[in-house]
Short mmCIF file of all heavy atoms in Angstrom, two decimals:
data_model
loop_
_atom_site.label_atom_id
_atom_site.label_comp_id
_atom_site.label_asym_id
_atom_site.label_seq_id
_atom_site.Cartn_x
_atom_site.Cartn_y
_atom_site.Cartn_z
N VAL D 909 70.63 -48.66 135.91
CA VAL D 909 71.20 -47.32 136.09
C VAL D 909 72.12 -46.96 134.94
O VAL D 909 72.08 -45.86 134.39
CB VAL D 909 71.97 -47.24 137.42
CG1 VAL D 909 72.73 -45.94 137.54
CG2 VAL D 909 70.98 -47.38 138.58
N THR D 910 72.98 -47.90 134.53
CA THR D 910 73.97 -47.62 133.48
C THR D 910 73.40 -47.77 132.08
O THR D 910 74.00 -47.31 131.11
CB THR D 910 75.16 -48.58 133.63
OG1 THR D 910 74.67 -49.93 133.53
CG2 THR D 910 75.81 -48.41 135.00
N GLU D 911 72.23 -48.47 131.98
CA GLU D 911 71.58 -48.72 130.69
C GLU D 911 72.56 -49.37 129.71
O GLU D 911 72.67 -48.98 128.56
CB GLU D 911 71.04 -47.42 130.10
CG GLU D 911 69.93 -46.80 130.94
CD GLU D 911 69.38 -45.52 130.30
OE1 GLU D 911 69.93 -45.13 129.26
OE2 GLU D 911 68.42 -44.99 130.86
N ALA D 912 73.33 -50.39 130.26
CA ALA D 912 74.29 -51.08 129.40
C ALA D 912 73.59 -52.23 128.70
O ALA D 912 73.54 -53.34 129.21
CB ALA D 912 75.46 -51.58 130.24
N PHE D 913 73.01 -51.89 127.49
CA PHE D 913 72.22 -52.91 126.80
C PHE D 913 73.09 -53.98 126.15
O PHE D 913 72.60 -55.03 125.76
CB PHE D 913 71.36 -52.24 125.71
CG PHE D 913 70.31 -51.33 126.28
CD1 PHE D 913 70.50 -49.94 126.22
CD2 PHE D 913 69.17 -51.84 126.87
CE1 PHE D 913 69.54 -49.09 126.74
CE2 PHE D 913 68.23 -50.97 127.38
CZ PHE D 913 68.40 -49.60 127.33
N ASP D 914 74.38 -53.69 126.06
CA ASP D 914 75.24 -54.71 125.46
C ASP D 914 75.55 -55.86 126.43
O ASP D 914 76.29 -56.77 126.09
CB ASP D 914 76.57 -54.07 125.02
CG ASP D 914 77.27 -53.37 126.19
OD1 ASP D 914 76.58 -53.02 127.19
OD2 ASP D 914 78.51 -53.18 126.12
N GLN D 915 74.98 -55.83 127.62
CA GLN D 915 75.24 -56.87 128.61
C GLN D 915 74.12 -57.92 128.63
O GLN D 915 73.97 -58.67 129.59
CB GLN D 915 75.37 -56.25 130.00
CG GLN D 915 76.57 -55.33 130.12
CD GLN D 915 76.69 -54.73 131.53
OE1 GLN D 915 75.86 -55.02 132.39
NE2 GLN D 915 77.73 -53.92 131.72
N ASN D 916 73.29 -58.06 127.64
CA ASN D 916 72.19 -59.04 127.62
C ASN D 916 72.68 -60.48 127.73
O ASN D 916 72.06 -61.30 128.41
CB ASN D 916 71.38 -58.88 126.32
CG ASN D 916 70.51 -57.61 126.39
OD1 ASN D 916 70.20 -57.14 127.49
ND2 ASN D 916 70.15 -57.08 125.24
N PRO D 917 73.78 -60.88 127.10
CA PRO D 917 74.30 -62.25 127.32
C PRO D 917 74.64 -62.51 128.79
O PRO D 917 74.48 -63.62 129.30
CB PRO D 917 75.55 -62.31 126.44
CG PRO D 917 75.28 -61.29 125.37
CD PRO D 917 74.56 -60.16 126.04
N GLU D 918 75.12 -61.51 129.46
CA GLU D 918 75.43 -61.67 130.90
C GLU D 918 74.19 -61.97 131.71
O GLU D 918 74.21 -62.74 132.68
CB GLU D 918 76.11 -60.40 131.40
CG GLU D 918 76.55 -60.49 132.85
CD GLU D 918 77.71 -61.45 133.05
OE1 GLU D 918 78.39 -61.79 132.06
OE2 GLU D 918 77.91 -61.90 134.22
N VAL D 919 73.05 -61.36 131.27
CA VAL D 919 71.78 -61.61 131.98
C VAL D 919 71.40 -63.08 131.87
O VAL D 919 71.00 -63.72 132.86
CB VAL D 919 70.66 -60.72 131.39
CG1 VAL D 919 69.31 -61.12 131.98
CG2 VAL D 919 70.96 -59.26 131.63
N ALA D 920 71.56 -63.60 130.70
CA ALA D 920 71.23 -65.01 130.50
C ALA D 920 72.11 -65.92 131.33
O ALA D 920 71.67 -66.90 131.94
CB ALA D 920 71.33 -65.36 129.02
N ALA D 921 73.41 -65.59 131.38
CA ALA D 921 74.34 -66.43 132.13
C ALA D 921 74.04 -66.40 133.63
O ALA D 921 74.05 -67.43 134.32
CB ALA D 921 75.78 -65.97 131.86
N ARG D 922 73.82 -65.18 134.11
CA ARG D 922 73.53 -65.06 135.55
C ARG D 922 72.19 -65.75 135.91
O ARG D 922 72.07 -66.38 136.97
CB ARG D 922 73.47 -63.59 135.96
CG ARG D 922 74.86 -62.94 135.95
CD ARG D 922 74.76 -61.46 136.31
NE ARG D 922 76.07 -60.84 136.36
CZ ARG D 922 76.89 -60.82 137.41
NH1 ARG D 922 76.48 -61.42 138.55
NH2 ARG D 922 78.07 -60.25 137.35
N THR D 923 71.22 -65.64 135.05
CA THR D 923 69.92 -66.30 135.32
C THR D 923 70.09 -67.82 135.32
O THR D 923 69.51 -68.53 136.16
CB THR D 923 68.90 -65.88 134.25
OG1 THR D 923 68.76 -64.45 134.26
CG2 THR D 923 67.55 -66.51 134.52
N LEU D 924 70.92 -68.33 134.37
CA LEU D 924 71.17 -69.77 134.32
C LEU D 924 71.87 -70.24 135.59
O LEU D 924 71.54 -71.30 136.15
CB LEU D 924 72.02 -70.10 133.09
CG LEU D 924 72.38 -71.58 132.92
CD1 LEU D 924 71.11 -72.41 132.74
CD2 LEU D 924 73.31 -71.77 131.71
N ASN D 925 72.82 -69.47 136.07
CA ASN D 925 73.53 -69.85 137.31
C ASN D 925 72.56 -69.89 138.50
O ASN D 925 72.65 -70.79 139.36
CB ASN D 925 74.66 -68.85 137.58
CG ASN D 925 75.42 -69.20 138.84
OD1 ASN D 925 76.05 -70.25 138.93
ND2 ASN D 925 75.35 -68.32 139.85
N LEU D 926 71.63 -68.94 138.54
CA LEU D 926 70.65 -68.94 139.63
C LEU D 926 69.76 -70.17 139.57
O LEU D 926 69.42 -70.77 140.60
CB LEU D 926 69.80 -67.65 139.55
CG LEU D 926 68.74 -67.48 140.65
CD1 LEU D 926 69.41 -67.40 142.02
CD2 LEU D 926 67.90 -66.23 140.39
N GLU D 927 69.41 -70.57 138.36
CA GLU D 927 68.58 -71.76 138.23
C GLU D 927 69.33 -73.01 138.69
O GLU D 927 68.75 -73.92 139.30
CB GLU D 927 68.13 -71.92 136.77
CG GLU D 927 67.13 -70.86 136.31
CD GLU D 927 65.84 -70.92 137.11
OE1 GLU D 927 65.43 -72.05 137.52
OE2 GLU D 927 65.24 -69.86 137.34
N VAL D 928 70.63 -73.05 138.38
CA VAL D 928 71.44 -74.19 138.81
C VAL D 928 71.47 -74.28 140.34
O VAL D 928 71.30 -75.35 140.93
CB VAL D 928 72.87 -74.07 138.25
CG1 VAL D 928 73.78 -75.14 138.87
CG2 VAL D 928 72.84 -74.24 136.73
N VAL D 929 71.64 -73.13 140.99
CA VAL D 929 71.66 -73.11 142.45
C VAL D 929 70.30 -73.52 143.02
O VAL D 929 70.21 -74.28 144.00
CB VAL D 929 72.08 -71.72 142.97
CG1 VAL D 929 71.96 -71.65 144.50
CG2 VAL D 929 73.49 -71.39 142.53
N ARG D 930 69.24 -73.06 142.38
CA ARG D 930 67.90 -73.40 142.85
C ARG D 930 67.63 -74.90 142.69
O ARG D 930 67.04 -75.54 143.56
CB ARG D 930 66.87 -72.57 142.09
CG ARG D 930 65.44 -72.78 142.60
CD ARG D 930 64.45 -71.90 141.86
NE ARG D 930 64.57 -70.49 142.25
CZ ARG D 930 65.00 -69.53 141.44
NH1 ARG D 930 65.36 -69.83 140.18
NH2 ARG D 930 65.09 -68.29 141.86
N ASP D 931 68.07 -75.48 141.57
CA ASP D 931 67.90 -76.91 141.36
C ASP D 931 68.69 -77.73 142.39
O ASP D 931 68.22 -78.77 142.87
CB ASP D 931 68.34 -77.29 139.94
CG ASP D 931 67.40 -76.75 138.88
OD1 ASP D 931 66.25 -76.40 139.26
OD2 ASP D 931 67.80 -76.65 137.72
N ARG D 932 69.90 -77.23 142.72
CA ARG D 932 70.71 -77.94 143.71
C ARG D 932 70.00 -77.97 145.07
O ARG D 932 69.97 -79.00 145.75
CB ARG D 932 72.07 -77.27 143.84
CG ARG D 932 73.02 -78.06 144.74
CD ARG D 932 74.33 -77.32 144.95
NE ARG D 932 74.95 -76.99 143.67
CZ ARG D 932 75.30 -75.76 143.28
NH1 ARG D 932 75.09 -74.74 144.10
NH2 ARG D 932 75.88 -75.57 142.12
N LEU D 933 69.41 -76.82 145.44
CA LEU D 933 68.67 -76.77 146.71
C LEU D 933 67.46 -77.71 146.68
O LEU D 933 67.19 -78.42 147.66
CB LEU D 933 68.20 -75.33 146.98
CG LEU D 933 67.27 -75.16 148.20
CD1 LEU D 933 67.96 -75.60 149.48
CD2 LEU D 933 66.80 -73.70 148.29
#
């Protein structure tokens, strides 16, 4: 919605955190 393209590093961080949670499960 905001088209905040400067937030691409945040995408990587959040995706990595999700993978960590998935691996823990």
Side-chain angles (χ1 to χ4, degrees):
V909 172
T910 59
E911 296 182 356
F913 294 104
D914 57 339
Q915 296 181 0
N916 286 337
E918 184 69 18
V919 172
R922 289 178 178 274
T923 302
L924 179 62
N925 180 64
L926 181 62
E927 291 298 327
V928 171
V929 174
R930 185 177 287 113
D931 290 342
R932 187 185 305 125
L933 173 60

